[in-house]
Amino acid sequence: MPTREEMRSLAEEIVGSYADRVAGIAQLRETVKLDLKGFHDSRTAMAKELRADLSKVWANLAKDERERQAEVHEFRGELARIIAEGKAAVKTLLTEFDSAHQAMSNQLRADLAKGEEGRLREARALKQELVRGVAKIKSAVSAQLKEFADIQAGARDEWQTLTATMQAQRVGAAVEVKPSEVVAAPAMEMTEEEVAEITPETADIRDRAFEYLANHPDGTRLVELEQEFGLARIKLVRVVRGLIDENKVEKRDMLYFAI
């Protein structure tokens, strides 16, 4: 069991510890009070400083707004001036363009009036040339038609001669065959479309036909030229007629000779 002295010592320690705790709590309260007071003072000073800064900001914003409005007003004035200058420049350009257009129109009318007589002369000359060309083509076509009639008559005569000869050989007597009467082909009136379809053969075909005739001095029939060149008779007649017109070929009976 503890002694009295030990109990007294324990009681004194408890009382001393309590007094220390009370003193510590009082000191802590004082420290907290001081801290709270310092925080309140700092917050008050900060709020005051923030209010002063905010007042400066509002003042700067008001100043900036006035400057911005002044700049906007100046920009609007400059834009209005540029638009006015642009309108004036466009109006001037339109006026100049209209004047130039009118001058050009007057010049064109004068040039057209001046060249009208020359164009009429050229048109009349061209018309006369066309008339001569059409007449020449009509003449060539008429000559070709006459040649076709001659070819048909010759073929008919040869066929009749052959038939008569064969008949004479069967009966043993000679039979005289009279050549059939050649009927001239009537002249044809041709339309402009028909004239446009008649075109001369190329120079290459004419040269080849002339060379072939030159290599056959004994004469060549039209059917031989057909077999040689593989062309229709109408085209060959056109080629040979061109050579005859150029005095390079002549026709004797049913044969063609190079001159």
Side-chain angles (χ1 to χ4, degrees):
M1 258 181 93
T3 62
R4 181 180 296 177
E5 291 295 334
E6 290 176 350
M7 291 297 293
R8 184 183 297 113
S9 177
L10 180 59
E12 289 176 356
E13 289 179 0
I14 291 172
V15 171
S17 176
Y18 177 75
D20 291 337
R21 286 198 300 274
V22 170
I25 290 171
Q27 187 178 359
L28 181 60
R29 285 178 178 175
E30 187 66 24
T31 301
V32 170
K33 184 178 180 181
L34 291 175
D35 290 340
L36 290 174
K37 185 177 183 300
F39 177 73
H40 181 267
D41 294 340
S42 297
R43 188 181 64 179
T44 301
M46 185 181 294
K48 185 177 180 181
E49 185 177 354
L50 288 174
R51 289 191 186 94
D53 293 340
L54 186 60
S55 298
K56 292 179 180 180
V57 169
W58 280 112
N60 291 332
L61 287 175
K63 181 181 179 182
D64 293 341
E65 180 65 19
R66 289 192 298 271
E67 292 178 355
R68 186 182 66 81
Q69 290 180 356
E71 290 176 356
V72 169
H73 181 71
E74 183 179 358
F75 175 74
R76 287 178 177 175
E78 183 68 18
L79 184 61
R81 185 183 62 79
I82 292 174
I83 291 174
E85 291 178 355
K87 287 181 178 180
V90 169
K91 185 177 180 180
T92 302
L93 289 175
L94 289 175
T95 303
E96 293 177 355
F97 176 78
D98 186 63
S99 300
H101 179 72
Q102 188 65 32
M104 186 183 297
S105 299
N106 295 334
Q107 184 65 34
L108 286 174
R109 290 191 186 95
D111 293 341
L112 289 173
K114 185 185 300 182
E116 184 66 22
E117 185 178 355
R119 285 193 298 274
L120 289 175
R121 286 196 301 269
E122 293 177 358
R124 286 193 293 269
L126 179 60
K127 183 178 180 181
Q128 293 175 357
E129 184 67 23
L130 289 174
V131 170
R132 287 193 295 269
V134 170
K136 185 177 180 180
I137 292 173
K138 287 182 178 180
S139 177
V141 171
S142 298
Q144 290 177 6
L145 291 175
K146 184 179 183 302
E147 186 174 355
F148 292 157
D150 294 341
I151 292 172
Q152 289 178 349
R156 186 167 55 248
D157 292 341
E158 290 181 1
W159 176 255
Q160 289 178 357
T161 302
L162 178 61
T163 304
T165 302
M166 294 176 63
Q167 183 68 24
Q169 290 177 356
R170 290 194 186 97
V171 299
V175 178
E176 182 180 359
V177 178
K178 295 182 179 180
S180 60
E181 184 180 357
V182 177
V183 180
M188 293 181 60
E189 293 295 332
M190 302 178 62
T191 62
E192 294 183 1
E193 291 78 4
E194 293 172 336
V195 171
E197 292 178 357
I198 300 175
T199 57
E201 293 296 333
T202 61
D204 181 61
I205 296 177
R206 288 192 177 189
D207 293 342
R208 289 169 54 198
F210 178 74
E211 183 179 358
Y212 182 85
L213 293 174
N215 292 331
H216 295 76
D218 295 333
T220 305
R221 292 179 177 270
L222 199 59
V223 66
E224 296 175 0
L225 292 175
E226 288 180 324
Q227 295 173 356
E228 175 68 21
F229 295 102
L231 296 176
R233 177 163 295 198
I234 182 68
K235 293 183 179 180
L236 278 174
V237 168
R238 197 173 296 153
V239 171
V240 174
R241 174 57 60 185
L243 292 172
I244 292 174
D245 292 340
E246 294 174 3
N247 294 323
K248 294 182 178 180
V249 173
E250 64 178 357
K251 181 182 179 183
R252 304 172 195 165
D253 296 331
M254 302 300 295
L255 297 177
Y256 292 92
F257 298 87
I259 300 176

